[in-house]
Amino acid sequence: MTCVFFRLFLLVALAAPSQGTHHGPTTRLRYSRFLDPSNVVFLRWDFDLQAEIITFELQVRTAGWVGLGITNRYTSVGSDLVVGGVLPDGNVYFSDQHLVDEDTLEEDGSQDAELLGLTEDAAYTTMRFSRPFRSCDPHDQDITSDTMRVLAAYGLDDTLKLSRKRAFVKSIFLLQITYHDDEDLPEDTMTHDLEITDFLIPEDDTTYACMFLPLPIVNKKHHIYKFEPKLVDHNETMVHHILVYACGNASVLPTGISECYGFDPAFSLCSQVIVGWAVGGLSYQFPDEAGISIGTPLDPQWIRLEVHYSNFHNLPGVYDSSGIRLYYTSHLRKYDIGVLELGVLTFPIHFIPPGAESFMSYGLCKTEKFEEMNGAPISDMQVASYLLHTHLAGQALKAVQYRNGKQLRTICKDDSYDFSLQETRDLPHPVEIKLGDELLIECSYQTLDRDSMTFGGTSTINEMCLIFLFYYPRNNISSCLGYPDIISVAHELGEEASENPMENLMILNNVEWTQENIKKAEKACKESLQTVMIKTINELIENTTGRIPDIIPTPRGPCLESSGGKVEPQDKSPAGFRAEPMTLNGSSTVTLEHLPLAAIFLLQGTLSWLLATLQTAV
């Protein structure tokens, strides 16, 4: 491992205060997370979407150097890492760097991180800095609303030596919008637990356990405004997802616990998701203007609780009582929340070839029949939040909206999807869906590690392509899923097609999956006629057909030019630099300038006093 010694990469000190920079040394940062299993590395952060600036504060239990940056899915090479620390004589060093290989750091030509403070005491080294979402330096990873893989590292002293024992990568939604404070709960808040009790997890790779449970019994309308998972200690790694489906009040429901999609079809009744949690998720609170309605004749009285277990180690004798805790109140919101499931029908007709570096699947939804199937007029749907879901091969998802044959917007996306981090996320602003709009879900998969076909299905080693949209006001449509004409796909691949879809799947399984055939299959799936299956909460189903429209890529915004260092001409964005000063509305703060060593010594007393204000308890 290459060892590089700190020789004061950049000596920085505090200059006179100036107005404008957001998230200064003492500003409270709204978000926080431990980045390591031992709770030694603690990150706080906040951001300004308008100015496209993010502020980090990294606090590590060490007297050595600390570093924070962004890495990618596959390798740490090329990761950016902002490093800093306090030398034994009290001088501060700080530098914007990148990894040229797995062990070696090199300073960026363009210094795009602005230091807001560095302190060291008997317990912690704390570094606070800001940086643009997208700088003009190709060595800096863009910060987007996608899943970001945050890299943190530290040393035991001021010798910059990377150690795998002290380097951690954690997936985080850095730009996740959160409008609610978990401490601000209605005074009459009540809770209701939906859980499977003492269920013996089978010694199988995948189990879908289902049971039917009543919702809270109330004598007038209430709103569920928040939910959170209830996980049994030590069982967290085995619980893949938990879904709550609303049942139509005319449904005849079975008792007990059984396999959801086994021999008894009654345990797969009820298909309208109202609450969903998946691995890596936390609690979620609905927007202030909407909640899930209970207590009226039109509201569901029973639900189907589905818990998906992944017992890959085939452990025997493990009992579980996982579920969902609901928070509800009589303080009503303006609207009732609904959930619309979009994507590709979860069935083996959805296939992904082996050895694919990238394979796209598409699921089309056409809303023109929604009102007819709803049985009553439908208001425009205001989408407030979303949950993305694939299994292990999933790499990226997006939902795109079309109106009158033209692409309107990308509703939501994640180009860096992580199976281990699935949370319901708020949109920055509600998105309006009108009757007649088309919605397209695109999922990208990678199967380089697989030598056989991957089919759509419920097992974790099968695949899904689903996006759940949380919207208001509620209607009776529960899902709108698409799938390709498998006969035409087989023809395009030069295979003898059968009228039996399952026989065609066997034919596809025998295809020699060269890169040419993989791309041919992807093109055939996209260009074939799609069947769109629409389902209501009362299990009414109607099909229509449509063609997959093209997706026009969203252009990247302009980069923010650094105030220091160099930017090579080829690094400039086609949209040009956004060279205005990096200031934001909000509190005043201090700016840091690069000063000669003599000036640092002169200011050292002031520096120590000001930086000491940064230190806060974890």
Side-chain angles (χ1 to χ4, degrees), residues 504-519:
N504 284 316
L505 295 177
M506 296 302 297
I507 291 171
L508 292 177
N509 206 27
N510 295 325
V511 170
E512 181 184 355
W513 286 110
T514 63
Q515 293 305 309
E516 181 183 359
N517 279 339
I518 288 171
K519 286 305 171 187

Side-chain angles (χ1 to χ4, degrees), residues 73 146-147 149 388-397 414-422 425:
R73 185 193 305 267
D146 298 338
T147 302
R149 287 161 176 81
L388 311 178
H389 184 66
T390 75
H391 288 174
L392 297 172
Q395 303 287 292
L397 303 89
D414 194 331
D415 290 331
S416 188
Y417 176 81
D418 187 342
F419 171 82
S420 65
L421 179 60
Q422 302 180 51
R425 299 186 241 179

Side-chain angles (χ1 to χ4, degrees), residues 25-26 119 608-616:
T26 59
T119 61
S608 300
W609 176 78
L610 286 171
L611 290 180
T613 63
L614 280 174
Q615 185 61 47
T616 55

Side-chain angles (χ1 to χ4, degrees), residues 14 41-42 156 178 184 204 208 227 270 312 369 394 463 525:
L14 291 172
V41 181
F42 187 61
L156 301 180
T178 302
D184 185 21
D204 298 324
Y208 279 75
F227 62 88
C270 312
F312 286 128
K369 292 190 175 185
E463 266 307 333
C525 287

Side-chain angles (χ1 to χ4, degrees), residues 296-314:
T296 80
L298 298 177
D299 296 329
Q301 299 173 23
W302 286 76
I303 60 91
R304 172 165 64 95
L305 178 67
E306 172 184 298
V307 183
H308 176 189
Y309 295 100
S310 295
N311 188 359
F312 286 128
H313 297 292
N314 308 120

